[in-house]
């Protein structure tokens, strides 16, 4: 590994020590810093993976927990985001399994109740509320009964 690659490796190790990254994101960072040298970037990424600075499984679990708890994302949206970063299906399934489903439903209910306040006078309010929940990444079956409960109250 040449001197420039070592500097990039050290910088990326420092970043990875502060927060989780997936291979896709860290490879992009390495490519940017190494000005498109794919061989050197791949070597840096492989070193980070070998030294456990980067782990897609760990990243997927942290990502899923954060997006579900803080942003109110549903499983479909989380799955799509993780797959778009090249995370394997097994890691995605494991990450989705770590989401507390009771807290996720409570978060969804709170989001829908808040949204319903602005839509309750709209004749298409119920439809818009369902569309809002689906855009958050929740499945129709989970959304339908909750929307009926909120709109009938």
């Amino acid at each position: 590994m040449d001197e420039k690659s070592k500097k990039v490796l050290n910088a990326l190790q420092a970043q990875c020590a502060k927060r989780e990254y997936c291979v896709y994101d860290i490879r992009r960072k390495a490519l940017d810093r190494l000005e498109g040298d794919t061989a050197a970037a791949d070597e840096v990424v492989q070193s980070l993976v070998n030294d456990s600075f980067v782990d897609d499984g760990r990243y997927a679990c942290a990502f899923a927990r954060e997006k579900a708890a803080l942003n109110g994302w549903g499983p479909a949206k989380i799955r799509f985001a993780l797959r778009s970063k090249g995370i394997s299906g097994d890691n995605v399934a494991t990450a989705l399994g770590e989401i507390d489903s009771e807290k996720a439903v409570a978060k969804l209910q709170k989001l829908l109740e808040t949204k319903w306040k602005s839509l309750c006078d709209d004749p298409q309010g119920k439809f818009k509320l369902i569309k809002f929940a689906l855009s958050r990444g929740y499945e129709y079956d989970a959304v339908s009964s909750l929307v009926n409960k909120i709109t009938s109250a």
Side-chain angles (χ1 to χ4, degrees):
M1 193 178 289
D2 67 356
E3 197 60 37
K4 186 173 185 176
S5 295
K6 286 181 183 177
K7 283 184 179 180
V8 170
L9 176 64
N10 289 335
L12 292 178
Q13 284 174 338
Q15 278 190 321
C16 291
K18 294 176 186 170
R19 62 165 268 205
E20 292 292 343
Y21 287 96
C22 64
V23 171
Y24 175 83
D25 288 340
I26 213 70
R27 185 171 192 283
R28 284 186 35 225
K29 288 180 178 293
L31 278 171
D32 286 347
R33 291 178 183 204
L34 293 167
E35 299 163 356
D37 184 353
T38 57
D42 289 341
E43 187 179 0
V44 167
V45 170
Q46 193 57 50
S47 177
L48 290 168
V49 170
N50 291 342
D51 295 339
S52 295
F53 280 99
V54 176
D55 182 322
D56 279 351
R58 208 172 52 218
Y59 171 82
C61 291
F63 182 90
R65 281 191 309 269
E66 177 186 326
K67 294 301 181 184
L70 300 179
N71 298 64
W73 284 16
K77 191 168 185 173
I78 293 170
R79 184 179 303 108
F80 179 79
L82 289 172
R83 295 296 290 164
S84 72
K85 290 183 179 258
I87 308 293
S88 73
D90 292 341
N91 285 336
V92 171
T94 302
L96 290 174
E98 286 197 8
I99 295 172
D100 185 346
S101 59
E102 289 178 16
K103 285 183 181 177
V105 169
K107 181 76 171 182
L108 174 61
Q109 184 169 353
K110 186 177 178 184
L111 285 168
L112 292 178
E113 287 170 350
T114 303
K115 185 71 172 175
W116 179 243
K117 289 176 185 173
S118 67
L119 295 173
C120 61
D121 295 332
D122 190 331
Q124 298 236 327
K126 186 175 178 180
F127 169 74
K128 289 179 179 179
L129 194 61
I130 290 172
K131 188 176 173 185
F132 171 76
L134 293 175
S135 75
R136 289 297 204 142
Y138 291 92
E139 279 81 19
Y140 182 79
D141 294 338
V143 169
S144 175
S145 61
L146 205 50
V147 166
N148 287 334
K149 179 179 155 186
I150 290 170
T151 57
S152 65

